[in-house]
Amino acid sequence: MRRTVESESAAPTNPLRDAQDRRLPRIAGPSGLVIFGVTGDLSRKKLMPAVYDLANRGLLPPGFSLIGFARRDWADEDFTQVVHDAVKQYARTPFREEVWSQLAQGMRFVSGVFDDDQAFENLKATIEQLDKERGTGGNFAFYLSVPPKFFPTVVRQLKKHSLSQGQGSSWRRAVIEKPFGHDLESAQELNRIVHGVFPNQEVFRIDHYLGKETVQNILALRFANTMFEPLWNRSYVDHVQITMAEDIGIGGRAGYYDGIGSARDVIQNHLLQLLALTAMEEPASFGAKALVTEKLKVLNSVRLPKELGLHTVRGQYTGGWQGGRRVPGYLEEEGISPHSVTDTYAALKLEIDNRRWAGVPFYLRTGKRLGRRVTEIAVVFQRAPYSPFDATHTEELNNNALVIRVQPDEGVTIRFGSKVPGTQMEIRDVTMDFAYGESFTESSPEAYERLLLDVLLGDANLFPRHQEVERSWEILDPVERHWARHGRPEPYTAGTWGPRAADDMLARDGRSWRRP
């Protein structure tokens, strides 16, 4: 409904009665959260602080409850102290004693391992107790912050002990972290197990990139403006580059990372989701079903080039200098076999066989120990079909580009040509820049804040469905099989932008990677 300034000032609609009033925040109803693997880094650095930040912003109900499940021999008070310390260290919003006091009253801890029947009976009793004491209404989400090999065990235990189904109108939901399988076959098996316990609409697969404001801004940029979408096609776009680069190594994640690698860890989920959002058609609405429909259309149109050896690259970092200090190579990292062939860098060229994108290559790359930490989507436009300028006047002019910066400096940059002041008609690249931090007074919430709130609200807009997960594996599996048949990954020095073969891959197409 469109309102004039006069109507708003003279007779404003009561916002409590206006369901469409966007000034009202979305607040979760009576509910609780159970975190399996609550002692891990993800829980400590992201989940617990996100719960507090939501409470601090007034987005959780007064009786919200948090249950930790792990093998530690802790009392409720020990767990509360752990959450307190995590919140103090990692929360985005200021610590307020009154908020913490309210939140801490609903914290409980259940000790046990995942195949321990008695522990799950204790969990059931704890949930029932919180229903009575805190008014959670039987509504609980189960967050599986555990290694993927434990997903089936935890899910089956929830079913065995009647924890996966609410009573009456109450709900139970499963939240699952990536990686969701390690290939198509394992993903399909896991989907079968999970959907045998929870309905599809109650399964939330976390891809934290989809919770970032800048990722959601792709939809706003494209469909809320008329100046971009007419150019968003093969008639004007030369190619698209999607990059997720990290300047760190694997740290203490050897047990998880080795054998998985960068392609399975990042391309299968994060980068293919970014591709889908960048390339999809306008959805009928921003509801989960409509978004999934359009993303699936794109993913189903993605094609790998025939010559995988020419259009895919995998690398592995070696020792070097980064950030002013000497860093070890991947094979020198603690817990890594000296014979490991795990990729720490992956790049591939994809094509989309539809009318909008036919002939436009999408280049995806990700890696560790690269030049800097950055995630971006660069839409690179074609050069003008005819130029009246002398070649010497435009030698410093590159293709126009629109770059969506996902992290760390969230925003959008537009690169175009402008005349250099002076008597000559010399054209040079300039940029226009939009930065979230400079344009809005409110800081962007962490991705896990948005995603946890959406889980409690039952809003699945930002969560990949099982069809997307399986289709993504269908795209990546042939690449992984090709790499498995063709020796070791190519080495690259820490602090550089990846192996030489990645530059050669684009050079064969007459293009080059951006250096963010």
Side-chain angles (χ1 to χ4, degrees):
M1 180 175 65
R2 180 175 296 175
R3 299 174 182 168
T4 63
V5 174
E6 291 80 4
S7 65
E8 285 191 339
S9 59
T13 302
N14 183 350
L16 294 178
R17 297 179 182 177
D18 187 356
Q20 301 302 315
D21 194 323
R22 306 312 298 170
R23 294 171 294 183
L24 284 179
R26 301 183 309 158
I27 301 174
S31 55
L33 178 67
V34 179
I35 301 178
F36 292 96
V38 75
T39 56
D41 272 1
L42 175 65
S43 177
R44 185 170 59 91
K45 294 180 180 180
K46 296 294 184 181
L47 303 183
M48 296 177 190
V51 167
Y52 171 80
D53 288 331
L54 287 172
N56 206 10
R57 294 164 60 202
L59 302 180
L60 296 182
F64 179 82
S65 299
L66 177 64
I67 302 174
F69 187 107
R71 65 190 307 165
R72 302 289 178 87
D73 186 20
W74 286 346
D76 292 340
E77 294 79 10
D78 300 320
F79 174 58
T80 302
Q81 185 62 46
V82 168
V83 180
H84 177 275
D85 295 344
V87 166
K88 280 278 193 156
Q89 185 173 1
Y90 296 108
R92 180 179 64 89
T93 58
F95 188 84
R96 293 194 294 157
E97 191 60 46
E98 64 273 20
V99 174
W100 170 254
S101 177
Q102 175 75 21
L103 192 60
Q105 292 175 28
M107 292 183 185
R108 303 289 187 273
F109 184 78
V110 176
S111 177
V113 293
F114 301 138
D115 58 357
D116 183 353
D117 287 338
Q118 185 56 53
F120 277 81
E121 283 299 312
N122 293 342
L123 174 60
K124 183 178 181 180
T126 302
I127 287 176
E128 292 173 350
Q129 179 187 18
L130 288 170
D131 282 344
K132 297 176 182 177
E133 295 178 359
R134 304 278 294 173
T136 51
N139 302 317
F140 275 86
F142 300 98
Y143 199 117
L144 277 64
S145 179
V146 300
K149 64 181 179 181
F150 294 119
F151 289 170
T153 303
V154 174
V155 168
R156 286 170 174 147
Q157 285 282 63
L158 291 172
K159 180 178 182 180
K160 180 179 179 180
H161 296 276
S162 302
L163 287 165
S164 59
Q165 291 186 334
Q167 301 296 319
S169 61
S170 64
W171 50 257
R172 298 291 167 89
R173 295 174 182 143
V175 187
I176 301 177
E177 274 283 345
K178 74 175 184 71
F180 203 80
H182 62 271
D183 57 15
L184 176 60
E185 184 179 356
S186 61
Q188 289 174 330
E189 173 64 13
L190 190 52
N191 279 329
R192 185 187 64 79
I193 293 171
V194 174
H195 290 160
V197 177
F198 291 91
N200 183 38
Q201 69 272 16
E202 304 293 11
V203 179
F204 291 74
R205 297 166 185 83
I206 288 276
D207 184 338
H208 69 272
Y209 261 61
L210 299 186
K212 293 180 178 293
E213 288 286 342
T214 38
V215 172
Q216 298 165 51
N217 195 40
I218 297 171
L219 302 177
L221 186 78
R222 291 188 57 192
F223 304 127
N225 302 290
T226 59
M227 61 190 299
F228 301 121
E229 190 64 11
L231 308 180
W232 215 262
N233 56 64
R234 64 186 302 273
S235 298
Y236 298 96
V237 175
D238 179 79
H239 70 281
V240 178
Q241 295 184 24
I242 303 178
T243 298
M244 177 182 166
E246 296 181 278
D247 56 3
I248 59 173
I250 61 167
R253 301 174 69 215
Y256 161 77
Y257 196 86
D258 197 41
I260 293 179
S262 55
R264 287 190 175 103
D265 188 41
V266 175
I267 289 180
Q268 183 273 332
N269 40 73
H270 299 330
L271 296 197
L272 284 176
Q273 283 290 320
L274 293 182
L275 178 148
L277 291 170
T278 302
M280 74 181 196
E281 298 298 323
E282 182 176 351
S285 72
F286 289 121
K289 185 175 181 180
L291 283 171
V292 169
T293 297
E294 296 305 332
K295 285 195 291 179
L296 267 177
K297 285 181 183 178
V298 171
L299 292 174
N300 286 332
S301 299
V302 169
R303 298 291 178 265
L304 287 166
K306 293 181 180 179
E307 296 287 341
L308 292 180
L310 297 177
H311 301 294
T312 69
V313 176
R314 63 172 176 160
Q316 190 181 83
Y317 66 83
T318 60
W321 290 89
Q322 195 164 40
R325 64 185 181 92
R326 182 79 181 176
V327 295
Y330 181 74
L331 300 181
E332 300 164 333
E333 298 277 14
E334 184 177 352
I336 299 298
S337 165
H339 307 293
S340 174
V341 294
T342 297
D343 51 286
T344 64
Y345 178 97
L348 61 153
K349 173 183 176 180
L350 297 175
E351 298 168 348
I352 299 177
D353 289 348
N354 63 23
R355 182 168 293 188
R356 181 186 287 264
W357 296 112
V360 177
F362 282 68
Y363 300 103
L364 278 57
R365 63 171 168 169
T366 182
K368 293 187 175 295
R369 290 287 182 212
L370 297 181
R372 61 168 295 205
R373 173 177 174 260
V374 61
T375 300
E376 67 172 33
I377 302 162
V379 179
V380 182
F381 294 93
Q382 299 171 16
R383 287 186 176 274
Y386 168 76
S387 174
F389 306 102
D390 292 340
T392 55
H393 292 164
T394 58
E395 59 186 2
E396 294 187 49
L397 179 65
N398 293 295
N399 294 50
N400 298 159
L402 185 149
V403 181
I404 301 168
R405 303 191 309 274
V406 177
Q407 67 176 18
D409 304 315
E410 295 91 345
V412 179
T413 296
I414 299 176
R415 183 180 72 195
F416 59 96
S418 179
K419 180 185 178 299
V420 178
T423 58
Q424 295 291 324
M425 180 58 78
E426 181 184 356
I427 312 298
R428 186 181 302 170
D429 284 337
V430 295
T431 59
M432 294 177 62
D433 188 76
F434 152 66
Y436 266 88
E438 296 176 2
S439 299
F440 299 103
T441 56
E442 182 179 355
S443 62
S444 297
E446 286 288 334
Y448 279 96
E449 290 178 51
R450 171 66 187 270
L451 295 175
L452 283 178
L453 180 60
D454 282 353
V455 168
L456 299 176
L457 291 167
D459 185 346
N461 291 9
L462 301 179
F463 297 84
R465 287 307 193 192
H466 69 279
Q467 302 99 320
E468 298 171 73
V469 172
E470 293 178 9
R471 176 56 188 153
S472 296
W473 281 120
E474 287 178 349
I475 295 169
L476 186 61
D477 277 357
V479 177
E480 291 287 353
R481 289 195 294 267
H482 170 80
W483 287 346
R485 295 193 301 266
H486 291 83
R488 300 186 60 83
E490 182 177 335
Y492 64 96
T493 305
T496 65
W497 280 99
R500 172 70 179 273
D503 293 326
D504 294 341
M505 183 179 83
L506 263 69
R508 280 190 288 271
D509 292 345
R511 302 181 177 97
S512 60
W513 289 110
R514 284 174 44 82
R515 292 291 185 261

